[in-house]
Amino acid sequence: MKKILSVFTILIASVFVPFTSYCQEQTGDSVWPAITKECKPWAYWWWLGSAVDEVNLSKELARYQEAGMGGVHIIPIYGAKGYEDRYIEYLSPKWMQMLHHTVTEARRLGLDIDMTTGTGWCFGGPNISTNDACAGVVVKTNTVTTSGRLTEKFDPKSIQALVAFSDEGKMLELTNRIKEDGTVDWTAENGPWKIYSISQRLSMKVKRAAPGGEGYMLNPFYLSAIRNYLKRFSDAFDKSEGPRPRAMYHDSFEYYGANWSPDFLRQFEKRRGYKLQPELPVLFGPGDNDRTARVKSDYRETISDMLCENFIPVWTKWSHKYGFITRNQAHGSTGNILDLYAAADLPETEMFHTDRRPLISKFASSAAHVAGHKLVSAETGTWLKEHFTETLADLKSLMDDMFVSGINHVFYHGTCYSPDEAGWPGWLFYASTEMNPRNSFWRDVPALNAYIARCQSVLQSGQPDNDILMYWPIYDYWHDTKGLQLNISIHGGEWFLKQSIGPAASNLWNRGFTFDYCSDSQLANSKTINKLVKTTGGTYQAVVVPTCDHMPVTTLENLLTLAKRGGTIIFQDHLPADVPGFADLEKRRTAMKKLISVIKLTDNGKIKEAKYGKGKILVGELEPALTALGIKREPIVDHPGIIFIRRSFESGYHYFISNSGQQPLNGWITLARKAESVILMDALKNKTGKGAIKKDVDGRTQVYLQLQSGESVILRTFTDKKVDEPAWQYCRQTGDPCEITGQWHVKFIQGGPSLPKPLETVKLGSWTTLGDDDSKRFAGTGLYSIKFDVPPQSADKWTLNLGKVCESARVRLNGKDLGTLIMSPFRVVIDQLKPKENELEVEVTNLSANRIRDLDTKGIKWRNFNDINFVSITYKPFDASKWPILDSGLLGPVTITPVSILQP
């Protein structure tokens, strides 16, 4: 085709690519729920050395408020070098004064404040005694022959158990025979004897501690430790008047490294019903038999019980006394994370770098849903990419993964307090996305924050709507001869995938079934009403038990009680075969067999079924069983890459749907929930409209969707109501794209270290190759402008496509603001074009990478922090001097394409 006028070149399109959101014209302010501070994103806010002052605190808070954040979370850590004279000791009167000022200013601005109950991570500090400190078990063995004596001396104050075992199977307790001088009053008879001595060692000190926060981490299993630790905070808040933060926070258990406590042997006997001392060779030996697995299971259950009873609930009770709620990261612990998450007011998960597993993050949201907690938070953006290379599009994609996991209260990880006089790049934290006002992308962060706020306003409203309550067979996980404690991490997910719950959850997720996980204790607090299983916070159509070999008798009793009263229980593959643990084994096995014997199953092919009281029990493959019960899946997941979450409200349901795949979605999708009308809501563009719907041959509601890769949409469905709203405008391409050509004027308007000189070009490219030397190190915003005429073909509307943008863009046409674009495709619908002289203005903001590279190339010292200082994503010293110069600006091609309104 020929060139059209002087400013267009025809680009032949091989396919018609569908798209949707950019075609929508109606604004949606009245449709979205009210935006509260909890709806907006919050951020971790590290106070380096607590070297803060009231003037800079107020400035920083104002900047966060202007960018659309809802609050910040104070974490004091190590300080910046050269500012030692400004360091403030943690919890000192001056520190408390800074805290009260911060809370006062935040609330004046409509923000709020959380704080860690400590500095760095995890809980600990100068008031933790060696008795209360984080501890690991120390096991030593000695061999004594007949008539021999122990030559080693043992400290009677530190030895918790000294036990002798003979080759003939005899056991002798020697603990009480240790004398004050450390000798043991015992002579071996009929040897040889193997002697086990049990003590504990101090393990971890607080990591990244702030001044006044240094010391050992507390022992999370030991009740006295948390009680004694909190006295320091009671004293500080009792002596200080002023407003207090919203919440107290506990970081993940990953760093405690504890597996023992001073009272562990007593606690074990109390909770498991037998002494552990006779089983020391089993617990600490190389055995791999069933007895070994049972004793180790009992050990793991005991430390889980101690965590779940002695730590988080005690801290939460103390926090409530002082007017705080609690946020807790349970992952990394050795306990049942479902119970640990639920014990706090606000369960919190995280995703790390590329390790993004919604099915593991669902442990936090499941705990909230089952326990009836409204909010589920997430540490968001930790090591997302290498420093200064993260984009707003990267963050938007991460947010969508969080949302479908059940997260509705995200916390950026994060931002540092940095006084203005610290200059650029200011004070930084090494594991952060650098979500701070000094980062160049901050200019367009409000667009991302508004997206998050709208999404979370929906995801915080109504109720979770998951059909299945999925039991976690944790005793099968604990029944393992290998190792000692089993930490449950969010990293890797091997612990999840190797259990039956991993494949079961993955298969149901991929097939579009909705579920929450639950623990044994959460099942014990459930009941059946009108054939539905009800927990404190959720209602479910059935309980699913993934393949389970070891189940406590009490748990099986609870499941059968739910069935007896009208509930439905599905056992994958088979009924539980055995009980866990070692004590009273045959007695408990007999009790389980008795319970199972009354379940009379009838074989129906892929499933077996039994009536049980008012309810039923099914055994077999999960999907056929769910189908037989009429529990519907969401067929939308059949489109590759589509992920979703569903919630209910009074008149219907909300669906958050994200296209995480590579292929666009353009067509009818079927909903599992009935709907008489559907409102489509685009949270990124703040657009809404009534969607096109129809019924399929089975009477199910279908709605027409157009989603590009990376895009998301919210559906608000009304079960019985036909809403009267403007229609959502779907578009289809009606002609070839035409490139806008001519003279581009580029002016740099904001950023540093200095503004490059303006430039003009007829060929778009990275400003680092088009401009002067300043442009190669520049981080900030360039304004592109051009005038163009309309092509001669007629069109209802046009789409403006900016092509490649590095990295975000604000768009104006003929003086009209068309919004901020933060992700590909960088497109927006335009209309009312003038025949000639249309003025297009695009403000493009790049990343800070080139400016950081320039500092390192010149050897300018900016990494000036104590402790770990500032490291790369591989935890090596950070150095950007060898980085390539990153493309920046508007690279295009910039095109407009004719489109018409599509009537599905």
Side-chain angles (χ1 to χ4, degrees):
M1 299 178 70
K2 295 181 179 180
K3 186 176 181 181
I4 299 179
L5 302 179
S6 61
V7 292
F8 289 98
T9 301
I10 295 299
L11 301 178
I12 304 300
S14 58
V15 295
F16 278 41
V17 180
F19 58 92
T20 175
S21 303
Y22 310 96
C23 298
Q24 179 55 286
E25 295 299 323
Q26 288 75 34
T27 59
D29 290 324
S30 63
V31 176
W32 301 97
I35 303 294
T36 67
K37 59 191 175 190
E38 282 79 20
C39 298
K40 300 174 182 178
W42 291 38
Y44 286 69
W45 192 25
W46 295 284
W47 284 10
L48 274 68
S50 296
V52 299
D53 64 73
E54 293 185 353
V55 171
N56 280 296
L57 285 169
S58 297
K59 287 181 179 178
E60 293 249 301
L61 290 169
R63 290 162 184 156
Y64 300 142
Q65 187 268 343
E66 289 167 1
M69 288 169 56
V72 285
H73 161 197
I74 298 169
I75 308 179
I77 57 171
Y78 54 82
K81 295 177 183 178
Y83 291 85
E84 287 79 4
D85 60 337
R86 299 191 188 185
Y87 291 178
I88 303 173
E89 184 176 347
Y90 185 59
L91 295 184
S92 66
K94 186 174 182 181
W95 195 95
M96 296 300 290
Q97 177 187 338
M98 294 299 105
L99 175 66
H100 296 323
H101 172 81
T102 301
V103 176
T104 299
E105 279 292 282
R107 289 178 180 158
R108 179 184 67 83
L109 293 166
L111 308 173
D112 217 328
I113 301 293
D114 290 356
M115 67 174 280
T116 299
T117 317
T119 76
W121 56 89
C122 301
F123 283 8
N127 67 324
I128 293 298
S129 67
T130 54
N131 192 59
D132 289 345
C134 197
V137 66
V138 177
V139 183
K140 293 183 178 180
T141 59
N142 293 275
T143 300
V144 179
T145 59
T146 301
S147 300
R149 296 178 63 87
L150 283 165
T151 57
E152 183 179 348
K153 290 187 176 182
F154 300 90
D155 182 357
K157 294 181 179 179
S158 63
I159 293 296
Q160 298 179 18
L162 188 67
V163 188
F165 299 89
S166 74
D167 286 354
E168 298 175 355
K170 295 181 180 179
M171 185 207 83
L172 285 175
E173 258 280 12
L174 303 178
T175 313
N176 293 331
R177 299 192 186 190
I178 303 174
K179 297 181 178 181
E180 289 186 5
D181 65 358
T183 61
V184 180
D185 184 15
W186 175 66
T187 301
E189 297 179 1
N190 302 320
W193 293 78
K194 190 170 186 178
I195 318 300
Y196 280 78
S197 67
I198 304 298
S199 60
Q200 65 181 47
R201 59 173 173 77
L202 302 181
S203 58
M204 294 293 294
K205 290 189 174 182
V206 175
K207 295 194 70 171
R208 320 305 183 211
E214 305 91 341
Y216 282 104
M217 292 184 191
L218 61 76
N219 191 320
F221 309 122
Y222 193 35
L223 181 59
S224 296
I226 185 64
R227 285 177 173 171
N228 292 335
Y229 177 67
L230 291 172
K231 290 177 181 177
R232 184 187 188 199
F233 294 88
S234 296
D235 291 343
F237 283 101
D238 286 343
K239 295 175 182 177
S240 179
E241 295 183 359
R244 295 173 179 174
R246 177 194 72 154
M248 284 287 172
Y249 169 80
H250 172 257
D251 209 326
S252 64
F253 287 83
E254 296 164 295
Y255 299 98
Y256 280 109
N259 61 16
W260 206 256
S261 71
D263 63 341
F264 182 80
L265 291 172
R266 179 171 57 84
Q267 290 291 334
F268 184 94
E269 181 180 0
K270 172 185 174 183
R271 296 168 185 277
R272 302 284 80 82
Y274 67 99
K275 284 181 174 291
L276 184 58
Q277 286 87 330
E279 304 299 329
L280 293 179
V282 177
L283 181 63
F284 296 115
D288 61 357
N289 56 22
D290 186 64
R291 180 171 179 169
T292 302
R294 290 184 179 280
V295 172
K296 289 190 174 184
S297 177
D298 283 339
Y299 162 82
R300 292 157 184 157
E301 184 178 6
T302 300
I303 59 176
S304 178
D305 289 349
M306 293 170 72
L307 271 180
C308 294
E309 296 173 22
N310 295 347
F311 189 8
I312 300 302
V314 173
W315 167 65
T316 296
K317 183 177 180 180
W318 173 87
S319 296
H320 290 173
K321 177 183 176 182
Y322 281 86
F324 311 115
I325 61 171
T326 53
R327 279 173 46 221
N328 176 46
Q329 290 191 353
H331 46 274
S333 80
T334 55
N336 190 317
I337 59 174
L338 287 172
D339 295 330
L340 286 169
Y341 277 132
D345 300 301
L346 218 165
E348 177 163 306
T349 185
E350 65 175 289
M351 293 182 181
F352 185 90
H353 189 37
T354 57
D355 198 353
R356 290 153 63 164
R357 302 175 185 270
L359 289 177
I360 291 180
S361 293
K362 273 180 70 67
F363 277 82
S365 61
S366 292
H369 297 166
V370 170
H373 300 318
K374 176 183 176 181
L375 300 178
V376 191
S377 58
E379 175 186 321
T380 306
T382 308
W383 281 131
L384 182 58
K385 289 170 67 175
E386 185 56 274
H387 293 292
F388 311 108
T389 66
E390 310 97 332
T391 69
L392 299 183
D394 293 331
L395 283 163
K396 193 269 183 188
S397 172
L398 176 61
M399 296 303 163
D400 289 356
D401 283 350
M402 291 291 190
F403 294 153
V404 300
S405 306
I407 309 309
N408 59 10
H409 189 24
V410 297
F411 280 72
Y412 291 126
H413 194 271
T415 183
C416 285
Y417 166 93
S418 185
D420 283 356
E421 56 268 29
W424 196 90
W427 294 357
L428 302 171
F429 179 65
Y430 70 93
S432 168
T433 296
E434 314 305 348
M435 182 59 71
N436 66 63
R438 301 171 302 286
N439 198 337
S440 58
F441 72 15
W442 185 260
R443 189 173 193 267
D444 290 335
V445 159
L448 175 64
N449 289 346
Y451 170 76
I452 295 169
R454 293 186 191 107
C455 289
Q456 293 191 154
S457 73
V458 171
L459 296 173
Q460 291 176 14
S461 65
Q463 300 294 328
D465 184 50
N466 295 320
D467 295 322
I468 301 162
L469 190 62
M470 181 178 289
Y471 170 71
W472 180 18
I474 195 170
Y475 289 92
D476 280 350
Y477 178 56
W478 286 339
H479 190 89
D480 190 337
T481 61
K482 300 180 184 67
L484 193 59
Q485 76 269 26
L486 298 176
N487 295 76
I488 299 170
S489 174
I490 54 98
H491 306 299
E494 290 83 3
W495 64 270
F496 177 69
L497 295 174
K498 76 177 185 179
Q499 298 180 68
S500 62
I501 193 173
S506 298
N507 290 337
L508 293 185
W509 172 273
N510 292 334
R511 292 291 292 156
F513 290 98
T514 59
F515 54 88
D516 284 321
Y517 309 124
C518 75
S519 68
D520 294 81
S521 64
Q522 290 166 339
L523 267 181
N525 293 319
S526 302
K527 56 188 176 181
T528 303
I529 300 177
N530 297 327
K531 297 185 178 183
L532 299 175
V533 175
K534 286 186 171 287
T535 67
T536 303
T539 302
Y540 305 90
Q541 296 186 49
V543 178
V544 162
V545 180
T547 304
C548 179
D549 293 322
H550 301 88
M551 177 180 285
V553 172
T554 53
T555 298
L556 182 57
E557 288 174 337
N558 291 330
L559 287 167
L560 297 182
T561 297
L562 292 173
K564 185 177 181 179
R565 295 174 179 173
T568 299
I569 315 298
I570 305 172
F571 292 91
Q572 184 182 24
D573 296 336
H574 57 74
L575 293 168
D578 205 346
V579 295
F582 184 62
D584 298 325
L585 182 56
E586 293 308 318
K587 180 180 178 180
R588 291 183 294 120
R589 280 173 167 166
T590 299
M592 171 166 278
K593 289 177 182 177
K594 183 178 179 180
L595 290 172
I596 290 176
S597 67
V598 299
I599 303 173
K600 306 300 182 182
L601 293 168
T602 301
D603 196 334
N604 295 326
K606 292 184 178 181
I607 57 174
K608 297 178 182 179
E609 185 174 343
K611 292 184 178 180
Y612 195 90
K614 297 179 181 179
K616 61 180 68 174
I617 294 171
L618 284 73
V619 180
E621 297 180 26
L622 292 183
E623 185 164 351
L626 294 169
T627 302
L629 294 171
I631 297 176
K632 299 176 181 179
R633 71 184 190 93
E634 291 288 354
I636 190 175
V637 299
D638 294 341
H639 185 90
I642 294 295
I643 49 180
F644 76 97
I645 191 169
R646 187 183 66 219
R647 293 178 65 88
S648 66
F649 68 99
E650 185 178 358
S651 301
Y653 300 89
H654 283 124
Y655 289 76
F656 174 86
I657 300 171
S658 172
N659 185 0
S660 65
Q662 299 301 310
Q663 299 301 317
L665 168 61
N666 183 34
W668 294 98
I669 62 107
T670 303
L671 304 179
R673 294 293 190 252
K674 176 189 173 185
E676 289 299 319
S677 53
V678 178
I679 300 295
L680 274 58
M681 307 164 69
D682 182 341
L684 194 58
K685 297 298 181 185
N686 191 22
K687 308 294 186 183
T688 66
K690 185 178 178 180
I693 65 171
K694 67 176 184 177
K695 302 291 184 180
D696 69 4
V697 293
D698 297 318
R700 299 178 299 178
T701 301
Q702 294 184 313
V703 60
Y704 198 87
L705 289 185
Q706 295 175 316
L707 279 182
Q708 287 288 304
S709 173
E711 291 184 338
S712 59
V713 68
I714 294 171
L715 310 184
R716 175 175 291 169
T717 73
F718 295 85
T719 304
D720 299 308
K721 178 182 176 182
K722 293 186 180 295
V723 297
D724 184 18
E725 293 286 339
W728 183 268
Q729 292 185 2
Y730 304 92
C731 292
R732 65 181 182 90
Q733 186 174 325
T734 58
D736 296 322
C738 306
E739 183 176 0
I740 296 178
T741 60
Q743 191 84 349
W744 286 92
H745 304 272
V746 185
K747 178 181 179 183
F748 297 93
I749 59 176
Q750 179 179 314
S754 59
L755 296 181
K757 294 178 181 178
L759 61 93
E760 295 183 353
T761 182
V762 295
K763 184 178 181 181
L764 290 172
S766 173
W767 69 47
T768 61
T769 60
L770 297 175
D772 55 20
D773 286 344
D774 284 343
S775 69
K776 294 177 174 60
R777 52 181 168 262
F778 178 70
T781 304
L783 169 61
Y784 291 72
S785 61
I786 194 171
K787 292 187 176 180
F788 67 93
D789 300 339
V790 176
Q793 62 258 55
S794 62
D796 295 339
K797 296 176 182 292
W798 301 82
T799 58
L800 170 69
N801 190 331
L802 300 182
K804 184 177 180 180
V805 175
C806 299
E807 294 295 332
S808 59
R810 299 182 185 182
V811 185
R812 289 188 302 275
L813 181 64
N814 296 328
K816 180 182 178 181
D817 182 12
L818 299 182
T820 302
L821 308 181
I822 64 170
M823 58 175 286
S824 178
F826 291 89
R827 296 193 298 196
V828 64
V829 171
I830 56 177
D831 57 8
Q832 298 179 348
L833 288 174
K834 300 185 296 183
K836 293 183 179 294
E837 295 291 304
N838 293 281
E839 183 177 19
L840 174 64
E841 298 173 287
V842 184
E843 297 178 6
V844 180
T845 300
N846 73 338
L847 302 178
S848 292
N850 291 342
R851 187 172 179 182
I852 285 291
R853 176 188 178 277
D854 180 63
L855 292 180
D856 282 351
T857 300
K858 293 176 177 177
I860 296 174
K861 188 175 182 179
W862 60 271
R863 297 179 296 279
N864 198 31
F865 314 109
N866 289 310
D867 201 282
I868 195 173
N869 200 346
F870 195 82
V871 295
S872 71
I873 199 167
T874 58
Y875 281 80
K876 300 293 191 300
F878 182 90
D879 181 7
S881 63
K882 300 294 190 283
W883 285 7
I885 296 175
L886 296 188
D887 285 345
S888 301
L890 181 60
L891 278 66
V894 178
T895 63
I896 62 170
T897 304
V899 296
S900 65
I901 304 302
L902 172 67
Q903 303 294 336

